[in-house]
Amino acid sequence: GSKASDWLTTFLGRPCRLVRQNPNSDRDCKVGQEGGVSADGRFSLSLANESPYLLISRSSVKELQQQISSNNSQVIPVDDLVHRFRGNLVIDGGRPYEEDEW
């Protein structure tokens, strides 16, 4: 409601709205995992693309930034690219794309 939204806005210092997801709302995913199997044998998740953990490496994003800037004159700041991937785990260090091997 409005009280919760006002409190969140004041606390976080930016406009906010508290919403509730329909508990019957699911998205199919490609990755098999324990639980969440529907009647048709497909796996489903809520509020995620593939899994509840979306990890991105800053070194991978920096490599991507270099590839983008080498192909055109546009330079996108690393923090903007990190934000676009919507990762909830952002790590520093390591080789670019090393996280693909974990």
Side-chain angles (χ1 to χ4, degrees):
S2 295
K3 277 187 168 184
S5 296
D6 291 343
W7 185 89
L8 285 168
T9 296
T10 301
F11 183 79
L12 296 173
R14 62 187 331 177
C16 295
R17 184 101 185 123
L18 184 64
V19 296
R20 180 176 180 265
Q21 180 188 3
N22 182 334
N24 297 320
S25 175
D26 288 328
R27 291 178 61 182
D28 290 335
C29 69
K30 299 174 198 161
V31 179
Q33 46 195 312
E34 297 297 321
V37 180
S38 63
D40 63 1
R42 297 193 61 156
F43 294 90
S44 63
L45 293 172
S46 171
L47 294 176
N49 292 331
E50 294 294 330
S51 68
Y53 304 106
L54 301 172
L55 182 136
I56 184 96
S57 160
R58 285 192 181 277
S59 60
S60 298
V61 173
K62 287 177 186 174
E63 175 71 21
L64 176 63
Q65 179 195 43
Q66 291 173 358
Q67 291 176 15
I68 292 170
S69 63
S70 70
N71 290 327
N72 64 46
S73 61
Q74 183 181 15
V75 176
I76 303 171
V78 171
D79 286 339
D80 288 354
L81 286 172
V82 167
H83 182 72
R84 290 180 186 188
F85 279 99
R86 301 178 306 156
N88 53 14
L89 297 171
V90 181
I91 61 167
D92 283 317
R95 299 181 331 270
Y97 310 110
E98 180 178 5
E99 66 274 17
D100 292 347
E101 301 168 13
W102 297 348

